[in-house]
Amino acid sequence: MSSVDPRTPVIVGVGQVTNRRDADPDADLVGRPEPTELMVSAVLSAVEDCDGRGAGASSPAGCALLKRTDSIRAIPPFSWDYRNPAGLVAERLSIAPRELALATVGGNNPQLALNQTALAIGRGELDVAVIVGADCGYTAAATLRHPDRPVLGWTVEAPGGDLPLTLGTARRGTTDAEEASGIDVPVHVFPLFENALRAVAGRSLREHDERISRLWARFSQVAARHPNAWITEPCTPEDILTVSESNRMISFPYPKLLTGNMQVDQGAALIVCSAAAADAAAVPRDRWVFPLAGADANDHWFLSHRADFHSSPAVRLGARAAMAQAGTDIDGIAHLDFYAYFPSAVQVVADELGVAIEEERPLTLTGGLTFFGASGSDYGTHAIATMVGALRKDPGSLGMVTNVGLNMTKHSIGIYGTEPSRSARPAPPTIPENTAVEETSGFRWVDPQAAVDALPQCSPDADAAGEVTVETYTVTYDRDGAPERAIVACRTPEGRRAWANVTDTDQLSVLVTEEGCGRLGMLRSDGRVDLR
């Protein structure tokens, strides 16, 4: 390897932990680790990984870096409300970093944190940083289901003290009209994209169901080979499509096995440092993986303003600009991990990058959030950690990780390699006008937000009534498998977007057996639409 700028950011240690469910239904839930304990375990695993000697081996390089950590950057869990989890991790590791940070909620934030950390290291603001997250959704849910409702003795922090630095954006994700229609959780949002993708492609309901079930079956096969996956038995397309007691319908067209699995206990950590710090700690060069380029951008913030439900300009502009900064294109990237919360998220990103979902190159390294697990906002840390392992095994190759937050809104992209940044510069047309570009030592970051914001938006009409056309929709189900209501995005004759519901059982049956996109209807003043 040629000489490397001493300020170049490198990932030198990664750790992942999975605390699986106990086979004994009467096992003690209270004794299971809480999220910060999994964070500590993941950091210690990352420390060992710096030396590459295997679990339980001495790790002088990792220990040296841990002692000189400048910043701990935590991804918050959903299962417990910590005020400053980075501080708890530091205390348990007996270290005193000068900076403690906490990301906001959002699946984009692990990659965003990595991008910001790489920039800070390149600028000389940080020398060694730890990015860590964990969640214990399985344990939290199991206690709620338990007949005795055991009380978890997880850490409650004392009030007062300095607040951690905030990473990311905590802006509200929905409008009043969207919430009134039932858009309150991701499983009511991503099916809107799924049905729109089917309609714009002109596929029948059955054809599209079979297509996404084949995609997810391939993802399950990847998870079956991952040592930290939550679900380790591969599924067939028939398993995924067949509705049963264990695979009940959630929100059309998704049964449970097409949705993210939040009930997991998992954690992951990354040790990121300057090349100078890695050299000083004597981290072997074959452990180094370089963040080469990154991008962060948001699509039009509210669903009501999106131009459509089958594209993502933020991904298109951000990923292509990041690839150009890394001196590559999508064909030059050997390893991909597209954020796989739901099939629609994978398809939108694949379409924007010109990747066929049926191609031989896998679109996931972990198996995705259904099979590997969706540990709150922290899945992306696992994806990056797994990417590091894949690149170490394939020296000279490149990898891409995409993260998604909120309602297919916030997008963060990273490109990685085992060699430092190439000197190639992109041709001017590759970078959209007014795109912010920052280049530090060996890392380049792009923010095409101005270009995304300049693209056409839809104008919402919260008071619409009269004739409308169904743009996209989903039908939500109760726990007994009965359809409850449809959430419908409509277009008025003027092209404005309105939100509506369908509750008539006959019409709900039509929407899950026939194409609903493009149907005409009459929108009433109470927010219900009668379909024709």
Side-chain angles (χ1 to χ4, degrees), residues 114-161:
L114 192 287
N115 288 344
Q116 293 189 2
T117 300
L119 288 172
I121 290 172
R123 297 185 199 117
E125 299 166 359
L126 297 174
D127 211 28
V128 181
V130 171
I131 299 171
V132 63
D135 212 342
C136 294
Y138 167 76
T139 298
T143 59
L144 293 177
R145 293 191 299 265
H146 196 283
D148 296 334
R149 291 291 179 92
V151 177
L152 296 172
W154 292 355
T155 302
V156 177
E157 295 153 287

Side-chain angles (χ1 to χ4, degrees), residues 271-334:
I271 298 177
V272 193
C273 65
S274 66
D279 271 335
V283 179
R285 285 292 181 100
D286 63 1
R287 311 307 291 169
W288 295 24
V289 169
F290 295 86
L292 300 177
D296 292 282
N298 306 319
D299 280 312
H300 296 322
W301 192 263
F302 296 115
L303 292 172
S304 296
H305 296 155
R306 304 283 173 87
D308 57 59
F309 288 96
H310 60 264
S311 68
S312 172
V315 168
R316 180 172 65 253
L317 300 179
R320 293 182 180 182
M323 286 189 289
Q325 293 290 347
T328 189
D329 58 20
I330 194 64
D331 293 332
I333 296 179

Side-chain angles (χ1 to χ4, degrees), residues 158-222:
D162 295 334
L163 291 173
L165 172 73
T166 299
L167 302 177
T169 303
R171 182 182 176 189
R172 178 188 179 192
T174 52
T175 67
D176 290 343
E178 290 166 4
E179 289 185 2
S181 73
I183 294 176
D184 51 356
V185 290
V187 78
H188 293 165
V189 174
F190 285 81
L192 300 174
F193 288 87
E194 194 67 65
N195 290 317
L197 285 161
R198 181 192 65 240
V200 77
R203 299 186 193 96
S204 70
L205 271 62
R206 183 66 186 179
E207 288 171 336
H208 194 76
D209 285 348
E210 291 175 349
R211 183 174 191 258
I212 61 177
S213 68
R214 289 193 300 269
L215 173 67
W216 239 230
R218 293 196 298 274
F219 276 41
S220 78
Q221 293 166 6
V222 174

Side-chain angles (χ1 to χ4, degrees), residues 31-394:
R32 291 177 64 86
E34 66 176 283
T36 51
E37 291 178 272
L38 292 187
M39 291 184 196
V40 170
S41 295
V43 173
L44 293 176
S45 179
V47 167
E48 293 178 347
D49 182 66
C50 292
D51 295 85
R53 301 180 183 179
S58 61
S59 48
C63 289
L65 290 173
L66 184 63
K67 290 177 182 176
R68 58 183 293 190
T69 298
D70 299 310
S71 176
I72 296 181
R73 303 180 156 204
I75 310 298
F78 289 174
S79 58
W80 196 251
D81 187 16
Y82 293 109
R83 181 173 175 273
N84 187 1
L88 296 174
V89 171
E91 180 181 351
R92 292 173 184 177
L93 291 171
S94 299
I95 59 175
R98 57 184 171 81
E99 177 190 89
L100 302 171
L102 180 63
T104 58
V105 171
N108 64 303
N109 282 324
Q111 181 60 54
L112 179 144
L114 192 287
N115 288 344
Q116 293 189 2
T117 300
L119 288 172
I121 290 172
R123 297 185 199 117
E125 299 166 359
L126 297 174
D127 211 28
V128 181
V130 171
I131 299 171
V132 63
D135 212 342
C136 294
Y138 167 76
T139 298
T143 59
L144 293 177
R145 293 191 299 265
H146 196 283
D148 296 334
R149 291 291 179 92
V151 177
L152 296 172
W154 292 355
T155 302
V156 177
E157 295 153 287
D162 295 334
L163 291 173
L165 172 73
T166 299
L167 302 177
T169 303
R171 182 182 176 189
R172 178 188 179 192
T174 52
T175 67
D176 290 343
E178 290 166 4
E179 289 185 2
S181 73
I183 294 176
D184 51 356
V185 290
V187 78
H188 293 165
V189 174
F190 285 81
L192 300 174
F193 288 87
E194 194 67 65
N195 290 317
L197 285 161
R198 181 192 65 240
V200 77
R203 299 186 193 96
S204 70
L205 271 62
R206 183 66 186 179
E207 288 171 336
H208 194 76
D209 285 348
E210 291 175 349
R211 183 174 191 258
I212 61 177
S213 68
R214 289 193 300 269
L215 173 67
W216 239 230
R218 293 196 298 274
F219 276 41
S220 78
Q221 293 166 6
V222 174
R225 299 189 295 270
H226 197 297
N228 290 99
W230 192 260
I231 297 176
T232 57
E233 291 295 325
C235 294
T236 67
E238 292 73 24
D239 295 332
I240 291 166
L241 276 188
T242 302
V243 175
S244 64
E245 185 175 347
S246 62
N247 190 35
R248 62 185 177 87
M249 283 298 298
I250 304 292
S251 192
F252 177 78
Y254 294 153
K256 188 176 180 180
L257 283 175
L258 286 173
T259 67
N261 177 18
M262 304 293 291
Q263 293 188 22
V264 299
D265 288 8
Q266 294 175 318
L270 314 170
I271 298 177
V272 193
C273 65
S274 66
D279 271 335
V283 179
R285 285 292 181 100
D286 63 1
R287 311 307 291 169
W288 295 24
V289 169
F290 295 86
L292 300 177
D296 292 282
N298 306 319
D299 280 312
H300 296 322
W301 192 263
F302 296 115
L303 292 172
S304 296
H305 296 155
R306 304 283 173 87
D308 57 59
F309 288 96
H310 60 264
S311 68
S312 172
V315 168
R316 180 172 65 253
L317 300 179
R320 293 182 180 182
M323 286 189 289
Q325 293 290 347
T328 189
D329 58 20
I330 194 64
D331 293 332
I333 296 179
H335 306 283
L336 300 171
D337 193 274
F338 292 166
Y339 193 84
Y341 200 174
F342 302 92
S344 59
V346 174
Q347 293 166 90
V348 168
V349 172
D351 287 349
E352 294 293 10
L353 298 182
V355 175
I357 68 168
E358 300 89 355
E359 72 170 48
E360 185 175 345
R361 175 177 47 175
L363 306 187
T364 180
L365 297 180
T366 66
L369 286 77
T370 300
F371 306 105
F372 178 85
S375 52
S377 296
D378 192 49
Y379 165 80
T381 316
H382 290 274
I384 297 168
T386 305
M387 179 63 74
V388 167
L391 293 171
R392 285 172 175 168
K393 293 177 181 177
D394 188 14

